[in-house]
Amino acid sequence: MADDTRTNHPGWGDASLAIHAGEPVDPHTRASSPNLVMSATFAPTEVPGFSARDGHGYEGYVYARVGSPTVAQLETKLAALERAEAALCYASGVAAGHALIMGRLSAGDHIILPESSYVGIAELTRDTLPRFGVQASFADTTNPAAVAAAIRPETKMLWIESPSNPTMQVSDIRLLADLAHARGVRDVAVDSTFATPLATRPLELGADFVVHSLTKYIGGHGDAMGGAVLGRKADLAALGLETTVHFGGILSPFNAWLILRGAGTLPLRMEAHQARALAVAQHLEAHPAVKRVFYPGLPSHPQHALARAQMKNFSGMLTFQTHESGPAVAARMVERLQMVHFAVSLGHHRSLICWIGTNDINTSSFRHDGPAMTRFRDWMGDGVFRMSVGIEDAEDICADLDLCL
Ligand SMILES: Cc1ncc(COP(=O)(O)O)c(C=O)c1O
């Protein structure tokens, strides 16, 4: 875990921090760019104990599962961008979410999740946690009263994802964090992958933890998986000992090095993503084949006012529904798209689009029925095209989509 503040100047802006935080000139070689340190083990300058617990407090590196230099440089940069005391990196976004949930919750605890959130986390909490005696329930996090009603005496964590995957719902982080803490919920965690620290800084809004899939916007180029948890130094020190040392799902230094390089241009890329996404959203909204578009930056988004208040950048994610059946349009996309890739994932410099059927995702992941299913369908219709608008020319992205609509 990195908490080095030497290159984390509190007065610097996002563009400076994205480039310089965690990346001092190497004192030995005077290298300007970060070194890639792949070493699995390190030769310490004193005789450490064999257990990672003994190494706690030792300044240098001992073994790469406990900590390693290139990963620590990325952790410093992420903490600076998120204005967090500390950051911990993991092998993927799901590994980060898993580490936080399993590291903080114990048998007998309860966690509340949004009715729409990344399916990997929804499935982990719904299917796996009960085997360990942790109960999970879903609440509509766009409705604070619904969250309040879902809180139990044993609720230890409220999980928020904003904007949410795949509905593009925005949740009021400050309001929910205050509400949850006032009712005794210890941890408020926010998956801020869609927003990025350039749009929203959940810790400043009262959250205790932020989670990112680094595979998405922060890495930004679709060539390295990674994840991170950010929060208070003391919380992350305790989490790190268990979740990196004992669970072992650490980030490879090579991926950390790629993500460090990608993160340097995050502020520029987010501006470009937002500009392209707004142009594509407006194009789709005016398109006769399109039934509905959800983009937080459009006035037609049901929570546009909240998005304006909570997001400094509307990011590059949008969904849309077509009049024609989604699977038929999706089949044409696979065949005809020339530039946009018909593929899952998001936040890469190239545009990606995929089709998500409402019944399919509900059967595999959420299993809503009754009013929860009605609410889910209000945002999803029979299914949505989830598009991660890249930073190509907006006219070319629109022309590519027009080939299929
Ligand atoms: C919002 C969100 N959180 C977490 C994840 C998981 O990240 P990863 O694929 O890096 O494990 C994803 C992946 O799509 C996501 O969209």
Side-chain angles (χ1 to χ4, degrees):
M1 180 180 65
D3 58 339
D4 173 14
T5 49
R6 274 170 305 177
T7 52
N8 179 357
H9 289 254
W12 285 356
D14 287 326
S16 308
L17 290 172
I19 293 168
H20 291 287
E23 297 190 29
V25 169
D26 180 82
H28 304 296
T29 61
R30 306 299 298 159
S32 162
S33 300
N35 298 320
L36 167 55
V37 181
M38 289 298 290
S39 191
T41 193
F42 299 83
T45 52
E46 56 190 69
V47 183
F50 189 68
S51 163
R53 288 185 196 280
D54 303 328
H56 233 51
Y58 174 67
E59 285 282 300
Y61 298 101
V62 176
Y63 187 56
R65 181 157 37 76
V66 186
S68 68
T70 312
V71 176
Q73 286 186 270
L74 176 60
E75 288 169 342
T76 301
K77 189 186 295 295
L78 296 174
L81 285 171
E82 199 65 77
R83 313 305 194 266
E85 283 178 21
L88 276 171
C89 285
Y90 296 90
S92 66
V94 162
H98 167 265
L100 180 59
I101 290 167
M102 297 301 273
R104 296 290 291 181
L105 301 183
S106 304
D109 291 345
H110 171 242
I111 175 173
I112 300 172
L113 286 114
E115 285 176 350
S116 171
S117 68
Y118 175 60
V119 290
I121 295 296
E123 290 167 22
L124 165 76
T125 45
R126 196 205 55 207
D127 296 340
T128 308
L129 287 189
R131 285 202 280 120
F132 297 87
V134 177
Q135 298 307 316
S137 61
F138 296 94
D140 175 6
T141 53
T142 68
N143 175 2
V147 174
I151 294 173
R152 306 174 189 171
E154 63 275 20
T155 307
K156 286 281 178 3
M157 185 178 284
L158 169 65
W159 189 273
I160 301 169
E161 189 179 293
S162 184
S164 65
N165 187 358
T167 47
M168 297 306 302
Q169 289 163 308
V170 181
S171 293
D172 189 330
I173 295 169
R174 187 187 292 281
L175 205 153
L176 293 176
D178 288 350
L179 178 157
H181 287 142
R183 282 159 205 253
V185 178
R186 188 192 57 197
D187 296 339
V188 174
V190 179
D191 183 336
S192 198
T193 299
F194 273 29
T196 83
L198 271 300
T200 307
R201 298 206 290 256
L203 300 175
E204 292 179 350
L205 299 175
D208 302 284
F209 296 99
V210 179
V211 177
H212 285 288
S213 166
L214 305 175
T215 320
K216 316 301 185 194
Y217 285 107
I218 293 178
H221 296 77
D223 51 12
M225 297 203 67
V229 177
L230 298 103
R232 287 181 284 268
K233 196 171 164 182
D235 289 339
L236 266 63
L239 197 71
L241 184 62
E242 184 168 50
T243 62
T244 60
V245 179
H246 300 156
F247 296 177
I250 54 147
L251 183 66
S252 144
F254 184 58
N255 283 19
W257 185 73
L258 286 170
I259 296 165
L260 265 175
R261 187 167 64 163
T265 55
L266 180 67
L268 272 180
R269 284 188 286 105
M270 292 316 295
E271 274 179 36
H273 279 294
Q274 172 178 246
R276 272 58 166 186
L278 187 60
V280 172
Q282 285 165 342
H283 176 77
L284 289 169
E285 205 164 41
H287 200 293
V290 173
K291 198 181 344 180
R292 212 163 168 194
V293 182
F294 288 98
Y295 178 60
L298 281 183
S300 60
H301 188 282
Q303 297 161 304
H304 182 59
L306 173 60
R308 285 176 74 94
Q310 191 171 273
M311 301 177 74
K312 274 201 302 180
N313 174 299
F314 296 119
S315 193
M317 296 302 299
L318 58 83
T319 62
F320 63 95
Q321 298 161 17
T322 50
H323 292 294
E324 195 183 342
S325 104
V329 178
R332 281 207 297 280
M333 286 180 176
V334 171
E335 209 178 289
R336 295 189 195 166
L337 284 172
Q338 295 181 358
M339 194 178 72
V340 177
H341 288 187
F342 190 88
V344 296
S345 202
L346 58 108
H348 307 171
H349 56 334
R350 62 180 67 80
S351 293
L352 305 172
I353 194 164
C354 65
W355 161 251
I356 301 173
T358 301
N359 288 341
D360 291 346
I361 196 174
N362 193 53
T363 305
S364 65
S365 310
F366 298 120
R367 310 222 181 118
H368 294 315
D369 53 18
M373 189 60 188
T374 307
R375 282 192 292 274
F376 192 55
R377 229 177 249 290
D378 277 348
W379 291 79
M380 293 287 289
D382 292 334
V384 293
F385 288 94
R386 188 192 72 187
M387 180 157 193
S388 170
V389 180
I391 57 175
E392 306 97 336
D393 293 298
E395 306 74 45
D396 297 335
I397 302 171
C398 293
D400 217 29
L401 292 175
D402 286 353
L403 294 174
C404 317
L405 291 173

